[in-house]
Amino acid sequence: MDADEPDWNRTLREQWEFHWNHQLRARLEDLTDDEYFWSPVPDAWSVRPRGSSAAPVQAGTGDFTIDFAFPQPVPPAFTTIAWRLGHVIVGVLAARNAAHFGAPAASYETWEYAGSAATALDQLGTQLDLWLAGVRGLGDAGLRVPVGEKEPFPEAPMADLVLHIHRELIHHLSEVCLLRDLYRHTNPATNGAVR
């Protein structure tokens, strides 16, 4: 690489890493199970013990499933922190880690969803580490390679997918932080702390 050319791989990784390290990570620390499962509205989609959901589709293996419907309802269902983390862990990260970086196969139907906030945050950390290692391994040349048939726009370069995933992470994890704020402001007896 020419010394005058920017290191696009580093730049793309830093887009996410800066947001994670300076805005999100601390906001997710000490997430409680009450916050994780809290539903601010009736009938919100969530991660639930197997067999306890009324959603049209309950996906996943293990003791917990995630709520879904096909097609999506209009307006879309409101979702809990548990659901949003499940979506980020599986649909945003794990499926892409499997498709592009050799991680084990992952899908909404086959995932073992977290039954606690701590387990969900562990899963998130694992998938983030795999994602960043995979992106780092692409180098600059790999960012130009088409994503292929595993993605909706197969001719798009990997750089486009990296940007998309980072937007998804920033968007959905910021929603999680907002839900934490809402929980703490509507349940002051549970945790008098305000973030």
Side-chain angles (χ1 to χ4, degrees):
M1 183 168 87
D2 186 316
D4 293 332
E5 290 182 25
D7 181 345
W8 289 114
N9 189 286
R10 179 189 54 78
T11 299
L12 290 178
R13 282 183 284 111
E14 285 182 355
Q15 175 203 32
W16 163 250
E17 289 172 325
F18 181 88
H19 194 71
W20 175 248
N21 290 325
H22 298 285
Q23 295 174 317
L24 288 174
R25 182 187 300 217
R27 297 279 320 275
L28 297 176
E29 286 178 5
D30 303 321
L31 179 70
T32 68
D33 289 349
D34 285 343
E35 291 171 295
Y36 179 67
F37 289 115
W38 178 62
S39 179
V41 300
D43 303 320
W45 283 358
S46 192
V47 170
R48 304 177 194 283
R50 181 170 295 286
S52 67
S53 175
V57 176
Q58 300 99 53
T61 61
D63 295 334
F64 288 82
T65 60
I66 195 167
D67 298 336
F68 273 102
F70 297 104
Q72 291 262 346
V74 177
F78 192 88
T79 58
T80 65
I81 290 174
W83 192 97
R84 290 165 199 246
L85 287 177
H87 169 63
V88 166
I89 292 163
V90 180
V92 176
L93 290 169
R96 270 34 183 270
N97 287 333
H100 301 287
F101 302 130
S107 70
Y108 288 112
E109 296 78 16
T110 62
W111 193 259
E112 189 166 327
Y113 291 93
S116 72
T119 303
L121 292 177
D122 285 346
Q123 289 180 350
L124 177 63
T126 297
Q127 294 305 317
L128 285 171
D129 289 347
L130 289 169
W131 171 255
L132 287 172
V135 172
R136 185 176 294 108
L138 292 171
D140 276 1
L143 292 172
R144 295 181 188 93
V145 173
V147 295
E149 299 299 322
K150 297 173 183 173
E151 298 293 338
F153 302 100
E155 297 305 316
M158 279 297 292
D160 285 6
L161 178 65
V162 172
L163 286 168
H164 171 68
I165 296 304
H166 293 176
R167 283 190 304 264
E168 285 283 291
L169 291 169
I170 291 167
H171 169 83
H172 290 300
L173 294 176
S174 295
E175 291 175 328
V176 168
C177 292
L178 177 63
L179 282 172
R180 285 197 84 184
D181 290 343
L182 184 60
Y183 176 87
R184 289 173 182 221
H185 284 277
T186 58
N187 297 288
T190 305
N191 179 350
V194 176
R195 284 193 175 213

